[in-house]
Coordinates of all heavy atoms in Angstrom, one line a residue:
T28 N 18.4 10.2 -1.2 CA 17.0 10.1 -1.4 C 16.7 9.7 -2.8 O 17.2 10.3 -3.8 CB 16.2 11.4 -1.1 OG1 16.5 11.9 0.2 CG2 14.7 11.3 -1.3
E29 N 15.9 8.7 -3.0 CA 15.5 8.2 -4.3 C 14.0 8.2 -4.4 O 13.2 7.9 -3.5 CB 16.0 6.7 -4.5 CG 15.8 6.2 -5.8 CD 16.5 4.9 -6.1 OE1 17.6 4.7 -5.5 OE2 15.9 4.1 -6.7
V30 N 13.5 8.7 -5.6 CA 12.1 8.8 -5.8 C 11.7 7.9 -7.0 O 12.3 7.8 -8.0 CB 11.7 10.3 -6.2 CG1 10.3 10.5 -6.6 CG2 12.1 11.3 -5.1
E31 N 10.7 7.2 -6.7 CA 10.1 6.2 -7.7 C 8.8 6.8 -8.1 O 7.9 7.0 -7.4 CB 9.9 4.8 -7.1 CG 9.3 3.9 -8.1 CD 9.0 2.5 -7.5 OE1 9.4 2.3 -6.3 OE2 8.4 1.7 -8.2
N32 N 8.8 7.2 -9.4 CA 7.5 7.8 -9.9 C 6.7 6.6 -10.7 O 7.1 6.0 -11.6 CB 7.7 8.9 -11.0 CG 8.2 10.0 -10.3 OD1 7.7 10.5 -9.3 ND2 9.3 10.6 -10.8
V33 N 5.6 6.2 -10.1 CA 4.7 5.1 -10.6 C 3.4 5.8 -11.0 O 2.7 6.4 -10.2 CB 4.5 4.1 -9.5 CG1 3.6 3.0 -10.1 CG2 5.9 3.5 -9.1
K34 N 3.1 5.6 -12.2 CA 1.8 6.2 -12.8 C 0.6 5.6 -12.1 O -0.2 6.2 -11.6 CB 1.8 6.0 -14.3 CG 0.6 6.7 -15.0 CD 1.0 8.2 -15.1 CE 0.0 8.8 -16.0 NZ 0.1 10.3 -16.0
E35 N 0.5 4.3 -12.1 CA -0.6 3.6 -11.4 C 0.0 2.2 -10.9 O 0.6 1.5 -11.6 CB -1.8 3.4 -12.4 CG -2.9 2.8 -11.8 CD -4.1 2.8 -12.8 OE1 -4.3 3.7 -13.4 OE2 -4.8 1.7 -12.8
K36 N -0.4 1.9 -9.7 CA 0.0 0.6 -9.1 C -1.0 0.1 -8.3 O -1.7 0.9 -7.5 CB 1.3 0.9 -8.3 CG 1.8 -0.3 -7.7 CD 3.2 -0.1 -7.1 CE 3.8 -1.5 -6.7 NZ 5.2 -1.4 -6.3
Q37 N -1.3 -1.2 -8.4 CA -2.3 -1.9 -7.6 C -1.6 -2.4 -6.5 O -0.6 -3.1 -6.6 CB -3.0 -3.0 -8.4 CG -4.0 -3.7 -7.7 CD -4.7 -4.8 -8.5 OE1 -4.7 -4.7 -9.7 NE2 -5.3 -5.7 -7.9
I38 N -2.1 -2.2 -5.2 CA -1.6 -2.9 -4.0 C -2.7 -3.7 -3.4 O -3.9 -3.5 -3.6 CB -1.1 -1.9 -3.0 CG1 -2.2 -0.9 -2.4 CG2 0.1 -1.0 -3.6 CD1 -1.7 -0.2 -1.2
V39 N -2.3 -4.7 -2.6 CA -3.2 -5.6 -2.0 C -3.0 -5.4 -0.4 O -1.8 -5.7 0.0 CB -3.0 -7.0 -2.4 CG1 -3.9 -8.0 -1.7 CG2 -3.2 -7.2 -3.9
I40 N -4.0 -5.0 0.3 CA -3.8 -4.9 1.7 C -3.6 -6.3 2.3 O -4.3 -7.2 2.0 CB -5.1 -4.3 2.3 CG1 -5.4 -2.9 1.8 CG2 -5.0 -4.2 3.8 CD1 -4.3 -1.9 2.0
G41 N -2.5 -6.4 3.1 CA -2.2 -7.7 3.7 C -1.1 -8.4 2.9 O -0.5 -9.4 3.4
D42 N -0.7 -7.8 1.8 CA 0.4 -8.4 1.1 C 1.7 -8.1 1.7 O 1.9 -7.0 2.1 CB 0.4 -7.8 -0.4 CG 1.4 -8.4 -1.4 OD1 2.5 -8.9 -0.9 OD2 1.2 -8.2 -2.6
E43 N 2.6 -9.0 1.8 CA 3.8 -8.9 2.6 C 4.8 -7.8 1.8 O 5.7 -7.4 2.5 CB 4.6 -10.2 2.7 CG 5.1 -10.8 1.4 CD 5.6 -12.2 1.5 OE1 5.1 -13.0 2.3 OE2 6.6 -12.5 0.8
H44 N 4.5 -7.5 0.7 CA 5.3 -6.5 -0.1 C 4.9 -5.0 0.2 O 5.5 -4.2 -0.4 CB 5.3 -6.8 -1.6 CG 5.8 -8.2 -1.9 ND1 7.1 -8.5 -1.7 CD2 5.2 -9.3 -2.4 CE1 7.3 -9.8 -2.1 NE2 6.1 -10.3 -2.5
V45 N 3.9 -4.8 0.9 CA 3.4 -3.5 1.2 C 3.8 -3.2 2.7 O 3.3 -3.9 3.6 CB 1.9 -3.4 0.9 CG1 1.4 -2.0 1.2 CG2 1.6 -3.7 -0.5
V46 N 4.5 -2.1 2.9 CA 4.8 -1.8 4.3 C 3.5 -1.4 5.1 O 2.5 -0.9 4.6 CB 5.8 -0.6 4.5 CG1 7.1 -1.0 3.8 CG2 5.3 0.7 3.9
T47 N 3.6 -1.8 6.4 CA 2.4 -1.6 7.3 C 1.9 -0.2 7.3 O 0.7 0.0 7.2 CB 2.8 -2.1 8.8 OG1 3.2 -3.4 8.7 CG2 1.6 -2.0 9.7
G48 N 2.8 0.8 7.4 CA 2.4 2.2 7.4 C 1.6 2.6 6.2 O 0.6 3.3 6.3
L49 N 2.0 2.1 5.0 CA 1.3 2.4 3.8 C -0.2 1.8 3.8 O -1.1 2.4 3.4 CB 2.1 2.1 2.5 CG 1.4 2.5 1.2 CD1 1.1 3.9 1.1 CD2 2.3 2.0 0.0
E50 N -0.2 0.6 4.2 CA -1.5 -0.2 4.3 C -2.4 0.6 5.2 O -3.6 0.9 4.8 CB -1.3 -1.5 5.0 CG -0.7 -2.6 4.0 CD -0.6 -3.9 4.6 OE1 -0.9 -4.1 5.8 OE2 -0.4 -4.9 3.8
Q51 N -1.9 1.0 6.4 CA -2.9 1.7 7.3 C -3.3 3.0 6.7 O -4.4 3.4 6.9 CB -2.1 1.9 8.7 CG -1.9 0.6 9.4 CD -1.1 0.8 10.6 OE1 -0.5 1.8 11.0 NE2 -1.0 -0.3 11.5
A52 N -2.4 3.7 6.1 CA -2.8 5.0 5.5 C -3.8 4.9 4.4 O -4.8 5.6 4.4 CB -1.4 5.7 4.9
V53 N -3.6 3.9 3.5 CA -4.5 3.7 2.3 C -5.9 3.3 2.9 O -6.9 3.7 2.3 CB -3.9 2.7 1.3 CG1 -4.9 2.3 0.3 CG2 -2.7 3.3 0.6
E54 N -5.9 2.5 3.9 CA -7.2 2.0 4.4 C -8.0 3.1 5.0 O -9.2 3.1 5.1 CB -7.0 1.0 5.6 CG -6.5 -0.4 5.1 CD -6.3 -1.4 6.2 OE1 -5.8 -0.9 7.3 OE2 -6.6 -2.6 6.0
S55 N -7.4 4.3 5.3 CA -8.1 5.4 5.9 C -8.6 6.4 4.7 O -9.4 7.3 5.0 CB -7.2 6.3 6.8 OG -6.2 6.9 6.1
M56 N -8.3 6.1 3.5 CA -8.7 6.9 2.4 C -10.0 6.6 1.8 O -10.5 5.5 1.9 CB -7.6 6.9 1.3 CG -6.2 7.3 1.7 SD -5.0 7.2 0.5 CE -5.5 8.5 -0.7
K57 N -10.6 7.6 1.1 CA -11.8 7.4 0.3 C -11.4 7.5 -1.2 O -10.4 8.1 -1.5 CB -12.8 8.6 0.6 CG -13.2 8.6 2.1 CD -14.1 9.8 2.3 CE -14.5 9.7 3.8 NZ -14.8 11.0 4.3
A58 N -12.2 7.0 -2.1 CA -12.0 6.9 -3.5 C -11.8 8.4 -3.9 O -12.5 9.3 -3.5 CB -13.1 6.2 -4.2
Q59 N -10.9 8.5 -4.9 CA -10.5 9.9 -5.5 C -9.8 10.8 -4.6 O -9.4 11.9 -5.0 CB -11.8 10.5 -6.1 CG -12.6 9.7 -7.0 CD -11.8 9.0 -8.1 OE1 -10.9 9.7 -8.7 NE2 -12.0 7.8 -8.5
E60 N -9.5 10.3 -3.3 CA -8.7 11.2 -2.4 C -7.3 11.2 -2.7 O -6.7 10.1 -3.0 CB -9.0 10.7 -1.0 CG -8.4 11.6 0.1 CD -8.7 11.1 1.5 OE1 -9.4 10.0 1.7 OE2 -8.4 11.8 2.5
K61 N -6.6 12.3 -2.5 CA -5.1 12.4 -2.7 C -4.5 12.7 -1.3 O -5.1 13.5 -0.5 CB -4.8 13.5 -3.6 CG -5.2 13.2 -5.1 CD -4.7 14.4 -5.9 CE -5.2 14.2 -7.4 NZ -4.9 15.3 -8.2
A62 N -3.3 12.2 -1.0 CA -2.7 12.4 0.3 C -1.2 12.2 0.2 O -0.7 11.4 -0.7 CB -3.3 11.4 1.3
L63 N -0.5 12.8 1.1 CA 1.0 12.6 1.3 C 1.2 12.0 2.6 O 0.7 12.5 3.7 CB 1.6 14.0 1.2 CG 3.2 14.0 1.4 CD1 3.8 13.3 0.1 CD2 3.7 15.3 1.5
F64 N 1.8 10.8 2.6 CA 2.0 10.1 3.8 C 3.5 10.0 4.1 O 4.3 9.6 3.2 CB 1.5 8.6 3.7 CG 0.0 8.6 3.5 CD1 -0.5 8.1 2.4 CD2 -0.9 9.0 4.6 CE1 -1.9 8.1 2.2 CE2 -2.2 8.9 4.4 CZ -2.7 8.4 3.2
K65 N 3.9 10.2 5.3 CA 5.3 10.0 5.9 C 5.2 8.8 6.8 O 4.5 8.9 7.8 CB 5.7 11.3 6.5 CG 5.9 12.4 5.5 CD 6.6 13.6 6.1 CE 6.8 14.6 5.0 NZ 7.6 15.8 5.5
V66 N 5.9 7.8 6.4 CA 5.8 6.5 7.2 C 7.1 6.4 8.0 O 8.2 6.4 7.5 CB 5.6 5.3 6.2 CG1 5.5 4.1 7.1 CG2 4.4 5.5 5.4
H67 N 6.9 6.3 9.3 CA 7.9 6.2 10.3 C 8.6 4.8 10.1 O 8.0 3.9 9.7 CB 7.3 6.3 11.7 CG 8.3 6.2 12.8 ND1 8.9 5.1 13.3 CD2 8.9 7.3 13.5 CE1 9.7 5.4 14.3 NE2 9.8 6.8 14.4
P68 N 9.9 4.7 10.3 CA 10.6 3.5 10.1 C 10.0 2.3 10.8 O 10.1 1.1 10.3 CB 12.1 3.8 10.7 CG 12.2 5.2 10.6 CD 10.8 5.8 10.8
H69 N 9.4 2.5 12.0 CA 8.8 1.4 12.7 C 7.7 0.7 11.9 O 7.4 -0.5 12.1 CB 8.2 1.9 14.1 CG 7.6 0.9 14.9 ND1 8.3 -0.1 15.5 CD2 6.3 0.7 15.1 CE1 7.4 -0.9 16.2 NE2 6.2 -0.4 15.9
Y70 N 7.0 1.5 11.0 CA 5.9 1.0 10.2 C 6.4 0.8 8.8 O 5.5 0.5 7.9 CB 4.8 2.0 10.2 CG 4.1 2.1 11.6 CD1 4.5 3.2 12.4 CD2 3.3 1.2 12.1 CE1 3.9 3.3 13.6 CE2 2.8 1.3 13.3 CZ 3.1 2.4 14.2 OH 2.6 2.4 15.4
A71 N 7.7 0.8 8.5 CA 8.2 0.5 7.2 C 9.3 -0.6 7.3 O 8.9 -1.8 7.6 CB 8.9 1.8 6.6
Y72 N 10.5 -0.3 7.1 CA 11.5 -1.4 7.1 C 12.4 -1.4 8.3 O 13.4 -2.2 8.5 CB 12.4 -1.3 5.8 CG 11.6 -1.5 4.6 CD1 11.2 -0.5 3.8 CD2 11.2 -2.8 4.3 CE1 10.4 -0.7 2.6 CE2 10.4 -3.1 3.1 CZ 10.1 -2.0 2.3 OH 9.3 -2.2 1.2
G73 N 12.2 -0.5 9.3 CA 12.9 -0.5 10.6 C 14.4 -0.3 10.5 O 14.9 0.2 9.6
S74 N 15.0 -0.8 11.5 CA 16.5 -0.7 11.5 C 17.1 -1.5 10.6 O 18.4 -1.3 10.3 CB 16.9 -1.0 13.0 OG 16.6 -2.3 13.3
A75 N 16.5 -2.5 10.0 CA 17.1 -3.4 9.0 C 17.2 -2.8 7.6 O 18.1 -3.0 6.8 CB 16.4 -4.7 8.9
G76 N 16.2 -1.8 7.3 CA 16.1 -1.3 6.0 C 15.7 -2.4 5.0 O 15.3 -3.4 5.4
N77 N 16.0 -2.2 3.7 CA 15.7 -3.1 2.6 C 16.8 -2.9 1.6 O 16.6 -2.0 0.8 CB 14.3 -2.9 2.1 CG 13.9 -4.0 1.1 OD1 14.7 -4.4 0.3 ND2 12.7 -4.5 1.2
A78 N 17.8 -3.6 1.6 CA 18.9 -3.5 0.7 C 18.4 -3.7 -0.7 O 19.0 -3.0 -1.6 CB 20.0 -4.5 1.0
A79 N 17.6 -4.6 -1.0 CA 17.1 -4.9 -2.4 C 16.4 -3.7 -3.0 O 16.5 -3.4 -4.2 CB 16.2 -6.1 -2.4
L80 N 15.7 -2.9 -2.1 CA 15.1 -1.7 -2.7 C 15.9 -0.4 -2.4 O 15.5 0.7 -2.7 CB 13.8 -1.5 -2.0 CG 12.7 -2.6 -2.2 CD1 11.5 -2.4 -1.3 CD2 12.3 -2.6 -3.7
K81 N 17.2 -0.6 -1.9 CA 18.1 0.5 -1.6 C 17.5 1.5 -0.6 O 17.6 2.7 -0.7 CB 18.4 1.3 -2.9 CG 19.1 0.4 -3.9 CD 19.4 1.1 -5.2 CE 20.1 0.2 -6.2 NZ 20.2 0.8 -7.5
I82 N 16.8 0.9 0.4 CA 16.3 1.7 1.5 C 17.2 1.4 2.7 O 17.2 0.3 3.2 CB 14.9 1.3 1.8 CG1 14.0 1.7 0.6 CG2 14.4 2.0 3.0 CD1 12.6 1.2 0.6
G83 N 17.8 2.5 3.3 CA 18.7 2.3 4.4 C 18.0 2.1 5.7 O 16.8 2.1 5.8
P84 N 18.8 1.8 6.7 CA 18.2 1.5 8.0 C 17.5 2.8 8.6 O 18.0 3.9 8.3 CB 19.4 1.2 8.9 CG 20.5 0.9 8.0 CD 20.3 1.6 6.7
D85 N 16.4 2.6 9.3 CA 15.7 3.7 10.0 C 15.3 4.8 9.0 O 15.2 5.9 9.3 CB 16.6 4.3 11.1 CG 16.8 3.2 12.2 OD1 15.9 2.5 12.5 OD2 17.9 3.1 12.7
A86 N 15.0 4.4 7.8 CA 14.5 5.4 6.7 C 13.0 5.7 7.0 O 12.2 4.8 7.1 CB 14.8 4.9 5.4
Q87 N 12.7 7.0 6.9 CA 11.3 7.4 6.9 C 10.9 7.4 5.4 O 11.6 8.1 4.6 CB 11.1 8.8 7.5 CG 9.7 9.3 7.3 CD 9.5 10.7 8.1 OE1 9.5 10.6 9.3 NE2 9.4 11.7 7.4
L88 N 9.8 6.8 5.0 CA 9.4 6.8 3.7 C 8.2 7.8 3.5 O 7.4 8.0 4.3 CB 8.9 5.4 3.3 CG 9.8 4.2 3.6 CD1 9.2 2.9 3.2 CD2 11.1 4.4 2.9
T89 N 8.2 8.4 2.3 CA 7.2 9.3 1.9 C 6.5 8.9 0.7 O 7.2 8.5 -0.3 CB 7.8 10.8 1.6 OG1 8.5 11.2 2.8 CG2 6.7 11.7 1.3
Y90 N 5.2 8.8 0.8 CA 4.4 8.4 -0.4 C 3.3 9.4 -0.7 O 2.7 10.0 0.2 CB 3.5 7.1 -0.1 CG 4.4 5.9 0.2 CD1 4.8 5.5 1.5 CD2 4.8 5.1 -0.8 CE1 5.5 4.4 1.8 CE2 5.5 3.9 -0.5 CZ 5.9 3.6 0.7 OH 6.6 2.5 1.0
E91 N 3.2 9.7 -2.0 CA 2.1 10.6 -2.5 C 1.2 9.7 -3.2 O 1.6 9.0 -4.1 CB 2.6 11.6 -3.4 CG 1.6 12.6 -3.9 CD 2.2 13.7 -4.8 OE1 3.5 13.7 -5.0 OE2 1.4 14.5 -5.3
V92 N -0.1 9.6 -2.7 CA -1.0 8.6 -3.1 C -2.3 9.2 -3.6 O -2.8 10.2 -2.9 CB -1.3 7.7 -1.9 CG1 -2.3 6.7 -2.3 CG2 -0.1 7.0 -1.4
E93 N -2.8 8.7 -4.6 CA -4.2 9.0 -5.0 C -5.0 7.7 -5.1 O -4.5 6.8 -5.9 CB -4.3 9.7 -6.4 CG -5.7 10.0 -6.8 CD -5.8 10.8 -8.2 OE1 -4.8 11.0 -8.8 OE2 -6.9 11.1 -8.6
L94 N -6.0 7.6 -4.4 CA -6.7 6.4 -4.4 C -7.8 6.4 -5.5 O -8.8 7.0 -5.4 CB -7.4 6.1 -3.0 CG -8.1 4.8 -2.9 CD1 -7.3 3.5 -3.2 CD2 -8.9 4.7 -1.6
V95 N -7.5 5.9 -6.6 CA -8.3 6.0 -7.8 C -9.6 5.1 -7.6 O -10.7 5.6 -7.8 CB -7.5 5.5 -9.1 CG1 -8.5 5.5 -10.3 CG2 -6.4 6.5 -9.4
S96 N -9.4 3.9 -7.2 CA -10.6 3.0 -6.9 C -10.0 1.9 -6.0 O -8.9 1.7 -5.8 CB -11.1 2.5 -8.2 OG -10.2 1.5 -8.8
F97 N -11.0 1.2 -5.5 CA -10.7 0.0 -4.6 C -11.8 -1.1 -4.8 O -12.8 -0.8 -5.2 CB -10.6 0.4 -3.1 CG -11.9 1.0 -2.5 CD1 -12.7 0.1 -1.9 CD2 -12.1 2.3 -2.6 CE1 -13.9 0.6 -1.4 CE2 -13.3 2.8 -2.1 CZ -14.2 1.9 -1.4
E98 N -11.4 -2.2 -4.5 CA -12.3 -3.4 -4.5 C -12.2 -4.1 -3.3 O -11.2 -4.4 -2.8 CB -11.8 -4.4 -5.7 CG -12.0 -3.9 -7.0 CD -11.5 -4.9 -8.1 OE1 -11.5 -6.0 -7.8 OE2 -11.2 -4.4 -9.2
K99 N -13.4 -4.4 -2.7 CA -13.4 -5.1 -1.4 C -13.2 -6.6 -1.8 O -13.8 -7.1 -2.8 CB -14.7 -4.9 -0.7 CG -14.8 -5.6 0.6 CD -16.1 -5.4 1.3 CE -16.2 -6.2 2.6 NZ -17.5 -6.3 3.1
E100 N -12.4 -7.3 -1.1 CA -12.2 -8.8 -1.3 C -13.5 -9.5 -1.1 O -14.4 -9.2 -0.2 CB -11.2 -9.3 -0.3 CG -10.9 -10.7 -0.5 CD -9.8 -11.2 0.5 OE1 -9.9 -10.9 1.7 OE2 -9.0 -11.9 0.0
K101 N -13.8 -10.4 -2.0 CA -15.0 -11.2 -1.9 C -15.0 -12.1 -0.7 O -13.9 -12.6 -0.4 CB -15.3 -12.0 -3.2 CG -15.6 -11.2 -4.4 CD -15.8 -12.1 -5.5 CE -16.2 -11.3 -6.8 NZ -16.5 -12.2 -7.9
E102 N -16.1 -12.3 -0.1 CA -16.2 -13.3 0.9 C -16.2 -14.7 0.3 O -16.7 -14.9 -0.9 CB -17.5 -13.1 1.8 CG -17.6 -11.7 2.5 CD -16.5 -11.6 3.6 OE1 -16.0 -12.6 4.1 OE2 -16.3 -10.4 4.0
S103 N -15.9 -15.7 1.0 CA -15.9 -17.1 0.5 C -17.2 -17.5 -0.2 O -17.2 -18.2 -1.2 CB -15.5 -18.1 1.6 OG -16.4 -18.1 2.6
W104 N -18.3 -17.1 0.4 CA -19.6 -17.5 -0.2 C -19.9 -16.7 -1.5 O -20.8 -17.0 -2.2 CB -20.7 -17.4 0.8 CG -21.0 -16.0 1.4 CD1 -21.7 -15.0 0.8 CD2 -20.3 -15.5 2.5 NE1 -21.6 -13.9 1.5 CE2 -20.8 -14.1 2.6 CE3 -19.6 -15.9 3.6 CZ2 -20.4 -13.2 3.6 CZ3 -19.2 -15.0 4.5 CH2 -19.7 -13.7 4.6
E105 N -19.2 -15.6 -1.9 CA -19.4 -14.9 -3.0 C -18.6 -15.3 -4.2 O -18.8 -14.9 -5.2 CB -19.1 -13.4 -2.7 CG -19.9 -12.8 -1.7 CD -19.5 -11.4 -1.3 OE1 -18.3 -11.1 -1.1 OE2 -20.4 -10.4 -1.3
L106 N -17.6 -16.3 -3.9 CA -16.8 -16.7 -5.0 C -17.5 -17.8 -5.9 O -18.4 -18.5 -5.4 CB -15.5 -17.4 -4.4 CG -14.6 -16.5 -3.5 CD1 -13.6 -17.4 -2.9 CD2 -14.0 -15.4 -4.4
D107 N -17.2 -17.7 -7.1 CA -17.8 -18.8 -8.0 C -16.7 -19.8 -8.1 O -15.7 -19.8 -7.5 CB -18.2 -18.2 -9.4 CG -17.0 -17.7 -10.1 OD1 -15.9 -18.2 -10.1 OD2 -17.1 -16.7 -11.0
K108 N -17.1 -21.0 -8.7 CA -16.3 -22.1 -8.8 C -14.9 -21.9 -9.5 O -14.0 -22.8 -9.3 CB -16.9 -23.3 -9.4 CG -17.2 -23.1 -10.8 CD -18.0 -24.3 -11.4 CE -18.4 -24.2 -12.8 NZ -19.1 -25.4 -13.3
F109 N -14.7 -20.8 -10.1 CA -13.4 -20.6 -10.8 C -12.5 -19.7 -10.0 O -11.4 -19.4 -10.4 CB -13.7 -19.9 -12.3 CG -14.5 -20.8 -13.1 CD1 -15.8 -20.5 -13.4 CD2 -14.0 -22.0 -13.6 CE1 -16.6 -21.3 -14.2 CE2 -14.8 -22.8 -14.4 CZ -16.1 -22.5 -14.7
E110 N -13.0 -19.1 -8.9 CA -12.1 -18.2 -8.1 C -11.5 -18.9 -7.0 O -11.9 -19.8 -6.4 CB -13.0 -17.0 -7.6 CG -13.4 -16.2 -8.8 CD -14.3 -15.0 -8.3 OE1 -15.4 -15.3 -8.0 OE2 -13.9 -13.9 -8.4

């Protein structure tokens, strides 16, 4: 078991680098809420694991999350010419 302590990290829902289980869990949270999530392998890296991250096959992942804040993605009509 390896633990990564990250003080603050920004994630983007829909980003290929965020496991499905964590995305679904964070989407259910409210601002300032804290939660502990256990993500089943089917919603993480599955039977393949992730060698680059040293996550073995069929690993259940555990995340302790505090949703400090969130920003809703702007709709196309809300973008200015520089975005």
Side-chain angles (χ1 to χ4, degrees):
T28 302
E29 188 170 318
V30 176
E31 179 183 353
N32 290 315
V33 177
K34 191 75 168 167
E35 187 173 313
K36 185 171 185 168
Q37 179 178 338
I38 66 168
V39 177
I40 301 299
D42 185 337
E43 64 186 41
H44 300 293
V45 180
V46 297
T47 302
L49 181 59
E50 284 185 349
Q51 292 175 350
V53 170
E54 286 178 327
S55 72
M56 296 178 71
K57 297 176 181 152
Q59 307 305 317
E60 186 176 5
K61 293 180 183 179
L63 182 68
F64 297 113
K65 293 186 178 186
V66 179
H67 187 275
H69 178 75
Y70 295 101
Y72 297 104
S74 60
N77 186 319
L80 296 176
K81 299 179 183 172
I82 297 173
D85 298 316
Q87 176 175 286
L88 306 180
T89 303
Y90 294 94
E91 184 175 358
V92 177
E93 178 180 4
L94 183 60
V95 176
S96 66
F97 62 92
E98 293 179 21
K99 183 179 177 195
E100 183 177 42
K101 291 182 178 181
E102 299 292 342
S103 60
W104 60 85
E105 297 175 311
L106 299 174
D107 62 34
K108 64 181 179 181
F109 299 109
E110 295 179 288

